[in-house]
Amino acid sequence: MNRRTDIEAAVRAAAPHALLATLRTELCSVYGALAVELHLADYGLRVLKSLDRPDGENEPLSLHNSPEGRAFGSQEPREQQVRHDDAVDHHLPVTVRGERLGILTVRLPQALSTPELVGELTHMADLLGHEILVAERDTDLYQRARRTTRLTLAAEMQWQLLPARACTAAEFAIGAQLEPAYAIHGDNFDWAADADELTVAVTNGMGEGIQASLLTNLAVNALRNARRAGIGIADQAALADQALYDQHRGASHVSTLLLRFELATGRVGVVDAGSPQLWIQRGRTVRRVELEAQLPLGMFEESRYTVQEFQVEPGDRLLLFSDGVYDAVSPLGEAYGERMLARAVQSTRLLPAATVPRAVLGELAEYRGTETPDDALVLCLDWFGRQEDQKDQEDQEGREVQEGREG
């Protein structure tokens, strides 16, 4: 235990840009590691890029056809025997509260590759992930390493606005992705959770380029400001609407879908202020949640918003789509539409929430066949509910069944 504590202290004390170098030195010294390498997932979630090899020195690793990529996808440690050497590569997921950052690969002599040691190395991968998120405030190293090409300025602004690409808690798991990852304009997602509730927002700002990004930045920060003041989602929408109208006088607006989940009950409040669509999968049934359409944010002065409600149950999956998904067309001019959306939801039903958006966007790209100037956003939320609530429900159902038999 002491050696692990010493390594943790060394990594936490390291300079932001030197986390991997410090961990490498410690693992080689304390655990006898022969090599230590970190690969980070790129913005498009297509490849893994080496942190400390300059661009051009090596090819990125596929997320689908490499041992590292398979460990990333399964989120389980994987072993790979080193050819012509008595050593084993251990590919360890680097993940923080559901956010999949990359893969830490530690090469160990065969004799040292015990389950106990691999368990300790898995803990080190978790530690590295947490420290990277903190270090990103002070260095560009990790964000630079995630890029396979240069981001447009609009995309840079949008990525800096996002909370993460995935999040897990006892009651839920979320995954989201934007495309085209390196040239997004006005689409955005946001979420925040505390002990009692989860708030999720999907926004779609009109226009292109910097103007769309500036518009969305104003909308998202206005929503956050209102949310952090502790007010409900109807008032969050109203205050953001006023902020946008004051700035643009109705010339620009933002389509928004706001959801608030009560973690204890599964009751959901929704404000539908524009084009993003909400779908639900319950068992094998997939349907669009029909909502009362209200005005997009910023279109008119002093708009009023109302909250609609519905109930989610443990095992439900919710998906949110921007218009860049359901309005996409094939080379023959056929709209993607609700039929293809339902098919995409069904085809990804066995995947975890974190990987669903990338899979749906991959199917969309095949259907579309060509590049599109419009953004596409997919957010997936799996609802688990509170475990004690599920137990109470199961006990109640059991009592009802028993009473029925006795009657």
Side-chain angles (χ1 to χ4, degrees):
M1 181 62 69
N2 286 338
R3 64 181 183 179
R4 195 169 83 178
T5 302
D6 291 342
I7 295 175
E8 290 177 358
V11 172
R12 291 196 170 101
H17 64 275
L19 297 177
L20 179 61
T22 301
L23 182 61
R24 179 184 288 129
T25 298
E26 295 293 326
L27 293 183
C28 291
S29 172
V30 177
Y31 290 108
L34 304 174
V36 179
E37 190 167 4
L38 174 65
H39 285 84
L40 296 176
D42 84 304
Y43 284 90
L45 288 176
R46 292 184 175 88
V47 298
L48 292 164
K49 290 197 62 188
S50 175
L51 177 65
D52 52 5
R53 296 186 189 178
D55 290 343
E57 283 194 9
N58 69 317
E59 290 293 326
L61 302 174
S62 169
L63 272 178
H64 307 289
N65 299 314
S66 67
E68 294 86 348
R70 287 187 282 274
F72 185 90
S74 68
Q75 288 293 285
E76 296 289 341
R78 285 181 175 258
E79 297 182 6
Q80 181 184 10
Q81 186 70 41
V82 179
R83 289 185 179 181
H84 313 300
D85 199 353
D86 188 24
V88 178
D89 282 341
H90 296 274
H91 305 303
L92 310 167
V94 179
T95 302
V96 182
R97 294 190 177 91
E99 169 76 332
R100 304 179 178 199
L101 302 180
I103 291 293
L104 178 69
T105 297
V106 180
R107 179 168 295 180
L108 293 175
Q110 180 76 55
L112 297 180
S113 295
T114 64
E116 293 76 16
L117 187 52
V118 173
E120 292 194 30
L121 293 176
T122 301
H123 175 81
M124 295 304 163
D126 291 339
L127 168 69
L128 181 60
H130 282 273
E131 291 304 309
I132 285 174
L133 290 189
V134 176
E136 283 187 330
R137 299 180 303 180
D138 302 307
T139 179
D140 290 334
L141 175 67
Y142 306 102
Q143 295 194 39
R144 229 176 12 241
R146 294 168 56 195
R147 304 176 184 208
T148 59
T149 187
R150 182 176 177 178
L151 293 177
T152 65
L153 178 55
E156 186 84 52
M157 295 168 66
Q158 292 296 75
W159 279 109
Q160 292 302 313
L161 196 61
L162 299 176
R165 284 187 295 198
C167 178
T168 58
E171 300 88 354
F172 62 86
I174 301 178
Q177 179 67 12
L178 289 164
E179 288 291 341
Y182 293 86
I184 50 178
H185 303 124
D187 284 7
N188 190 270
F189 56 84
D190 195 24
W191 56 68
D194 57 28
D196 300 316
E197 65 183 43
L198 164 70
T199 302
V200 177
V202 168
T203 53
N204 180 7
M206 64 180 294
E208 298 179 357
I210 298 298
Q211 292 304 314
S213 186
L214 287 170
L215 183 65
T216 301
N217 265 261
L218 176 58
V220 171
N221 279 295
L223 288 169
R224 286 176 176 173
N225 179 255
R227 185 186 72 216
R228 290 164 184 169
I231 62 180
I233 56 174
D235 289 331
Q236 291 175 30
L239 290 175
D241 168 77
Q242 191 62 48
L244 289 165
Y245 186 84
D246 288 347
Q247 183 69 28
H248 298 284
R249 313 307 296 180
S252 298
H253 58 265
V254 173
S255 297
T256 303
L257 189 60
L258 278 171
L259 298 94
R260 176 188 173 274
F261 295 79
E262 291 182 358
L263 298 182
T265 66
R267 185 173 298 278
V268 187
V270 188
V271 172
D272 181 1
S275 62
Q277 290 186 2
L278 174 62
W279 288 63
I280 187 169
Q281 180 177 22
R282 180 169 292 169
R284 291 186 172 272
T285 301
V286 177
R287 63 178 177 84
R288 181 181 173 185
V289 180
E290 297 294 339
L291 300 168
E292 178 187 347
Q294 301 177 67
L295 294 172
L297 306 184
M299 182 171 284
F300 297 104
E301 188 173 14
E302 296 184 354
S303 298
R304 293 289 180 263
Y305 295 93
T306 59
V307 177
Q308 302 167 73
E309 292 189 343
F310 67 97
Q311 188 76 27
V312 288
E313 300 175 0
D316 284 354
R317 167 168 286 181
L318 300 179
L319 293 107
L320 287 73
F321 303 101
S322 70
D323 59 1
V325 178
Y326 59 80
D327 280 346
V329 295
S330 71
L332 299 177
E334 299 172 340
Y336 196 66
E338 295 193 356
R339 182 179 64 84
M340 292 300 297
L341 265 183
R343 179 179 175 183
V345 172
Q346 286 282 21
S347 68
T348 58
R349 69 182 184 277
L350 299 181
L351 297 178
T355 62
V356 168
R358 175 68 262 164
V360 172
L361 290 170
E363 292 189 17
L364 176 67
E366 291 183 7
Y367 181 86
R368 197 171 52 219
T370 59
E371 293 294 328
T372 174
D374 197 8
D375 295 352
L377 182 158
V378 178
L379 184 148
C380 177
L381 187 150
D382 285 344
W383 182 256
F384 310 132
R386 290 266 168 93
Q387 296 301 312
E388 58 268 26
D389 297 335
Q390 293 184 48
K391 185 177 187 303
D392 290 343
Q393 182 179 353
E394 291 170 358
D395 290 344
Q396 178 63 28
E397 291 174 352
R399 287 192 295 270
E400 290 175 356
V401 169
Q402 184 62 32
E403 290 170 0
R405 289 174 178 170
E406 292 173 354

